Amino acid sequence: MVSKSYSNLLDMTSGDGFDFRQPFKSLPRVVTSPGFISDPDWDTRSDGDSVGSASSTEKKIIVANFLPLNCTRDEAGQLSFSLDDDALLMQLKHGFSNETDVVYVGSLKVQVDPSEQDQVAQKLLREYRCIPTFLPSDLQQQFYHGFCKQQLWPLFHYMLPICLDKGELFDRNLFQAYVRANKLFADKVMEAINTDDDYVWVHDYHLMLLPTFLRKRLHRIKLGFFLHSPFPSSEIYRTLPVRDEILKSLLNADLIGFQTFDYARHFLSCCSRLLGLHYESKRGYIGIEYFGRTVSLKILSVGVHVGRLESVLKLPATVSKVQEIEQRYKGKMLMLGVDDMDIFKGISLKLLGLELLLERNPKLREKVVLVQIINPARSMGKDVQEAITETVSVAERINRKYGSSGYKPVVLIDHCIPFSEKIAFYAASDCCIVNAVRDGMNLVPYEYTVCRQGNNEIDRLRGLDKDTSHTSTLIVSEFVGCSPSLSGAFRVNPWSVDDVADTLCQATDLTESEKQLRHEKHYRYVSTHDVAYWAHSFAQDLERACKDHYSRRCWAIGFGLNFRVIALSPGFRKLSSEHFVSCYNKASRRAIFLDYDGTLVPQSSINKAPSAEVVSILNTLCNDPKNNVFIVSGRGRDSLDEWFSPCEKLGIAAEHGYFVRYANESYHSCFMLDSIPPILLTPQIYDKIYVFSGGAKKLNGNQAIQVRNVNGSTLLNLLCRYTLRQLMDPP
């Protein structure tokens, strides 16, 4: 059945397939001839099918919502660009070999006039290896600020729009904008791909429909997806009206990455409960079986670029700023918070914890200072404005209540500051607190740990020798993705103000040796699991997940966002209706084995009893003296006997073949082997044996698997070696 929306997005593809057995030569994208699939002509490099010529240089195409570029427009209206060295997408390329050609696809943070787009695109590709996706301003507003920030972002952070004044209900127009934007990104990715050996790595929730659009165009594409935000539990995710479309699109990737095991577990639960898919873990790898393809899962948190942080920390301006901060807060315990301004960062809860700390511990007044750096909000809305107002109000109340002329317990920095100044605050702070109520990863604790390691120049200014151990103290919300990897941090429940206050009090009372032990443990992990390690590990797993691309025969089926690719072994041959009818008419004896659930009766059917039409068709088949017809099912014999009592000549294999009944006979028990029943043990020779399985509405031959000239003594062995797969949607 065609989806009621989005049927115009993707055309239904051909039901025929192509072979993946030859990895080094170009293959046809689509095979349209009916009947059996013959082996293709492998020397097809001049057939015009290839998008580009093969290259010895490995290419990785990194796709994200925004390009890792700084964009400014001067007073004359001229655009200028520079690489953003602090962007994660720019840093991850250090995990690839020097010979890897890294190309970036994404949108710009400034609007470009259509008359300038070609010139800007050429400049960015030539100078920065970036391919910009130019989204119209209205589409950008609906796609990013609308569907992404108003609907996906809150939902993925466990926020449901229960009250209309606190959240937005699902808007299908915004989702259509999300679809259109992903389609434009797919167009740009296709411009970047030259060969089937290129790897594509898609990032984050903005582009979750991109795998479907890319897989539809290139069935063999090597495609990875990494989700940087949390993935909610199935109880939360299932409230999304387009839940199936997004899940099915993600499953069109070869490898899906998550920050933590919990997020991956939630995704697996959604696939199991909403799509009925099965998954298993083999040798440390988690795989989901999806129409013959194995979609692999990767669990590894993102790291930081240690070298970049250390280089900024060595700058004279940074060293000078560290000295200035330490002098300004001399004699006080400096606590630091660095957060984006959004409703999930828990800034006001952090301030309430500090307020309770000062209330309970008068001796800490005039001694504890919390510097809260607030990064600019990425999207403005009523909730963000309320969060800003609440944060400022609580900070002012604490300062009025516990401050003095020369002392402010809370210092809010709510304007943009240079990266070097932020690094200086990291290096000078005794404690860092991340109190988010929900966050995908949050790299602030990692950055803080690296900066607290310091360098020789900072140690010299502090009067320390090079052998002095460094210290740090971390307080991390248990709902933050980095929390499991920081075993030496204090974990808090941000919703419990008492818990936060007690933990802040503990942090002020640590001994130097304990601070050193905690810091050393964190620094060992952060320095060895940096962003390059993360990128290299993901690239390795993506290569492993794609290694079977050339050993499968595939078909593309489905409308719109229900598009997917079915993969079967190279020896599989799908029969055409015309060929099946011809063979059926010529055969003198036929054995027909029919699966029940999913073939004669839809999997989604509430009433599992066969319809009158099915019973009539079975009787027609059984009345042909050339046919031996069997129902093969895991159901009990009592139910099958009752349902098929009108079919007197029908054979039944119940309970996966443990009980077998021939026409007009009683049941006898058989041994089971691999859940395939030894249905036919007589030595009769059959011209054809047909096995029907997986969603055929009627016995129309399209879903037949044909075995030629086989007798009963070898049938069991053949069936045991053959894996039946569902080939069509349930009707």
Side-chain angles (χ1 to χ4, degrees):
M1 179 179 179
V2 182
S3 176
K4 63 180 180 181
S5 307
Y6 338 120
S7 59
N8 60 325
L9 300 176
L10 297 172
D11 297 327
M12 186 178 185
T13 58
S14 169
D16 298 310
F18 50 86
D19 204 322
F20 282 171
R21 289 177 290 177
Q22 299 292 334
F24 302 111
K25 295 184 179 181
S26 177
L27 293 172
R29 304 292 183 201
V30 180
V31 177
T32 57
S33 59
F36 284 106
I37 308 296
S38 60
D39 289 336
D41 180 7
W42 297 110
D43 191 15
T44 56
R45 285 170 288 182
S46 61
D47 63 359
D49 171 67
S50 179
V51 177
S53 59
S55 172
S56 59
T57 302
E58 183 182 74
K59 180 188 287 185
K60 287 184 169 57
I61 302 169
I62 310 298
V63 192
N65 183 32
F66 290 116
L67 291 170
L69 296 174
N70 295 313
C71 315
T72 57
R73 191 184 293 272
D74 58 22
E75 296 179 356
Q78 295 296 318
L79 285 170
S80 60
F81 302 94
S82 63
L83 291 176
D84 184 1
D85 293 328
D86 298 323
L88 179 67
L89 298 183
M90 186 58 62
Q91 295 172 353
L92 66 81
K93 70 178 183 180
H94 295 286
F96 307 146
S97 66
N98 294 331
E99 292 76 24
T100 303
D101 179 20
V102 181
V103 178
Y104 297 95
V105 177
S107 59
L108 296 171
K109 297 180 181 179
V110 296
Q111 285 295 320
V112 179
D113 189 84
S115 61
E116 301 177 296
Q117 289 179 359
D118 288 342
Q119 180 180 356
V120 169
Q122 293 176 13
K123 174 183 175 66
L124 295 182
L125 180 60
R126 181 176 62 253
E127 298 181 9
Y128 303 108
R129 299 298 288 162
C130 291
I131 299 178
T133 301
F134 299 107
L135 300 180
S137 58
D138 58 339
L139 179 59
Q140 174 73 10
Q141 178 68 29
Q142 292 180 311
F143 156 66
Y144 181 69
H145 297 285
F147 190 76
C148 290
K149 286 300 181 181
Q150 291 181 18
Q151 297 182 355
L152 284 182
W153 176 259
L155 182 77
F156 277 35
H157 288 74
Y158 286 71
M159 181 178 177
L160 296 176
I162 298 175
C163 302
L164 293 182
D165 61 337
K166 291 295 183 183
E168 298 292 335
L169 292 177
F170 177 78
D171 187 339
R172 193 162 293 276
N173 291 328
L174 295 181
F175 178 67
Q176 291 288 7
Y178 185 78
V179 174
R180 292 197 303 272
N182 276 253
K183 177 68 164 55
L184 292 177
F185 275 89
D187 294 339
K188 292 300 179 180
V189 173
M190 293 304 299
E191 294 180 11
I193 291 181
N194 289 328
T195 71
D196 291 318
D197 296 324
D198 295 346
Y199 289 87
V200 179
W201 187 357
V202 182
H203 289 264
D204 222 1
Y205 65 97
H206 314 90
L207 302 173
M208 290 192 294
L209 297 183
L210 194 55
T212 286
F213 290 110
L214 295 177
R215 184 71 63 186
K216 191 260 180 180
R217 300 186 185 189
L218 290 176
H219 305 329
R220 292 182 296 161
I221 190 171
K222 299 175 179 179
L223 179 59
F225 181 92
F226 194 90
L227 183 66
H228 293 266
S229 75
F231 195 92
S233 65
S234 60
E235 289 78 9
I236 298 293
Y237 179 80
R238 69 193 311 164
T239 64
L240 184 64
V242 290
R243 60 193 188 183
D244 289 354
E245 288 86 341
I246 290 177
L247 276 184
K248 291 177 180 178
S249 179
L250 292 177
L251 291 169
N252 276 322
D254 296 297
L255 177 66
I256 307 173
F258 297 93
Q259 302 274 15
T260 70
F261 174 77
D262 284 342
Y263 304 156
R265 178 170 54 85
H266 293 162
F267 177 78
L268 291 172
S269 177
C270 288
C271 291
S272 175
R273 295 182 179 183
L274 300 180
L275 301 181
L277 301 179
H278 300 284
Y279 57 88
E280 60 181 5
S281 177
K282 290 183 178 180
R283 298 180 181 177
Y285 297 107
I286 302 175
I288 304 175
E289 290 299 322
Y290 187 60
F291 291 99
R293 296 173 52 246
T294 299
V295 182
S296 299
L297 264 61
K298 173 76 173 177
I299 304 171
L300 182 64
S301 59
V302 177
V304 295
H305 196 305
V306 178
R308 168 68 174 162
L309 294 172
E310 291 176 342
S311 64
V312 175
L313 197 59
K314 291 178 181 178
L315 296 176
T318 307
V319 175
S320 175
K321 193 66 178 178
V322 171
Q323 194 174 16
E324 175 191 331
I325 294 171
E326 290 181 340
Q327 186 64 33
R328 185 191 313 167
Y329 298 104
K330 187 176 182 180
K332 296 179 173 61
M333 180 175 184
L334 180 59
M335 297 182 174
L336 178 67
V338 180
D339 301 281
D340 295 339
M341 176 46 72
D342 68 52
I343 58 178
F344 300 108
K345 292 299 186 279
I347 300 176
S348 59
L349 293 173
K350 182 191 310 182
L351 298 180
L352 291 175
L354 177 67
E355 183 180 29
L356 186 58
L357 171 72
L358 297 177
E359 178 184 335
R360 291 176 174 177
N361 301 275
K363 64 179 182 179
L364 295 178
R365 299 170 189 173
E366 303 285 338
K367 294 184 179 180
V368 173
V369 176
L370 172 62
V371 174
Q372 178 61 55
I373 299 175
I374 301 177
N375 300 323
R378 300 183 184 182
S379 182
M380 296 303 295
K382 183 170 58 176
D383 290 337
V384 175
Q385 291 294 342
E386 290 177 355
I388 295 174
T389 303
E390 184 179 16
T391 299
V392 173
S393 174
V394 175
E396 291 177 348
R397 185 180 72 227
I398 295 174
N399 288 336
R400 285 195 307 268
K401 191 174 181 179
Y402 300 107
S404 61
S405 58
Y407 168 69
K408 285 186 176 182
V410 180
V411 178
L412 285 183
I413 302 178
D414 57 356
H415 57 273
C416 292
I417 61 175
F419 185 67
S420 59
E421 185 175 344
K422 189 183 297 183
I423 294 299
F425 271 105
Y426 282 138
S429 299
D430 301 291
C431 176
C432 180
I433 175 171
V434 175
N435 204 52
V437 297
R438 187 74 61 180
D439 211 345
M441 183 58 194
N442 201 313
L443 297 176
V444 167
Y446 290 1
E447 294 174 345
Y448 168 74
T449 300
V450 173
C451 294
R452 286 293 291 177
Q453 185 68 12
N455 54 45
N456 293 334
E457 181 63 20
I458 293 178
D459 289 346
R460 186 184 64 80
L461 293 175
R462 290 171 173 168
L464 306 175
D465 58 56
K466 62 180 181 179
D467 296 327
T468 302
S469 299
H470 298 86
T471 64
S472 65
T473 305
L474 274 171
I475 302 174
V476 180
S477 164
E478 61 188 60
F479 300 112
V480 174
C482 64
S483 175
S485 62
L486 299 171
S487 58
F490 290 102
R491 291 189 179 90
V492 296
N493 176 5
W495 297 105
S496 173
V497 177
D498 288 325
D499 189 14
V500 175
D502 291 342
T503 305
L504 288 172
C505 186
Q506 285 181 312
T508 62
D509 200 31
L510 288 179
T511 63
E512 288 298 309
S513 60
E514 189 171 356
K515 292 179 183 178
Q516 292 173 7
L517 290 174
R518 291 173 182 267
H519 173 77
E520 290 171 0
K521 179 183 292 188
H522 293 159
Y523 186 74
R524 279 197 303 270
Y525 176 82
V526 173
S527 59
T528 56
H529 293 75
D530 59 358
V531 66
Y533 174 86
W534 167 70
H536 178 70
S537 179
F538 189 91
Q540 279 189 323
D541 278 11
L542 180 57
E543 183 177 350
R544 177 189 57 80
C546 299
K547 64 182 177 61
D548 292 334
H549 273 202
Y550 298 102
S551 63
R552 297 295 182 92
R553 184 177 291 276
C554 293
W555 282 265
I557 66 172
F559 287 103
L561 296 178
N562 287 316
F563 171 86
R564 67 270 190 204
V565 170
I566 293 174
L568 296 171
S569 62
F572 180 83
R573 294 296 185 270
K574 182 180 179 181
L575 301 181
S576 67
S577 299
E578 295 82 0
H579 182 84
F580 173 77
V581 171
S582 175
C583 292
Y584 182 90
N585 290 331
K586 293 178 182 178
S588 59
R589 291 192 64 80
R590 314 179 191 101
I592 302 175
F593 302 102
L594 303 171
D595 182 27
Y596 188 68
D597 291 283
T599 302
L600 300 183
V601 176
Q603 292 282 9
S604 58
S605 176
I606 298 177
N607 182 12
K608 294 298 184 179
S611 64
E613 182 185 12
V614 170
V615 172
S616 175
I617 293 175
L618 289 174
N619 275 324
T620 301
L621 289 173
C622 294
N623 289 332
D624 189 329
K626 297 181 180 180
N627 292 345
N628 274 17
V629 184
F630 274 84
I631 295 292
V632 183
S633 175
R635 293 185 173 275
R637 48 181 173 171
D638 294 336
S639 299
L640 295 175
D641 271 346
E642 178 184 353
W643 291 341
F644 295 105
S645 58
C647 304
E648 297 180 355
K649 298 181 180 180
L650 178 67
I652 296 178
E655 299 183 24
H656 297 293
Y658 190 82
F659 293 102
V660 176
R661 186 203 77 179
Y662 294 87
N664 296 318
E665 294 182 8
S666 60
Y667 282 100
H668 62 273
S669 60
C670 300
F671 292 105
M672 293 184 295
L673 179 60
D674 197 24
S675 297
I676 302 295
I679 299 173
L680 193 58
L681 303 178
T682 62
Q684 290 175 296
I685 299 296
Y686 290 88
D687 297 327
K688 307 286 183 184
I689 293 178
Y690 298 100
V691 180
F692 291 81
S693 179
K697 292 182 181 180
K698 299 180 181 179
L699 312 182
N700 55 18
N702 263 342
Q703 305 305 309
I705 297 172
Q706 175 185 248
V707 183
R708 297 172 183 264
N709 299 328
V710 64
N711 61 28
S713 61
T714 58
L715 174 61
L716 174 61
N717 184 39
L718 284 171
L719 292 180
C720 286
R721 288 186 296 156
Y722 216 103
T723 301
L724 305 181
R725 301 191 185 276
Q726 183 170 325
L727 301 181
M728 292 182 62
D729 278 333

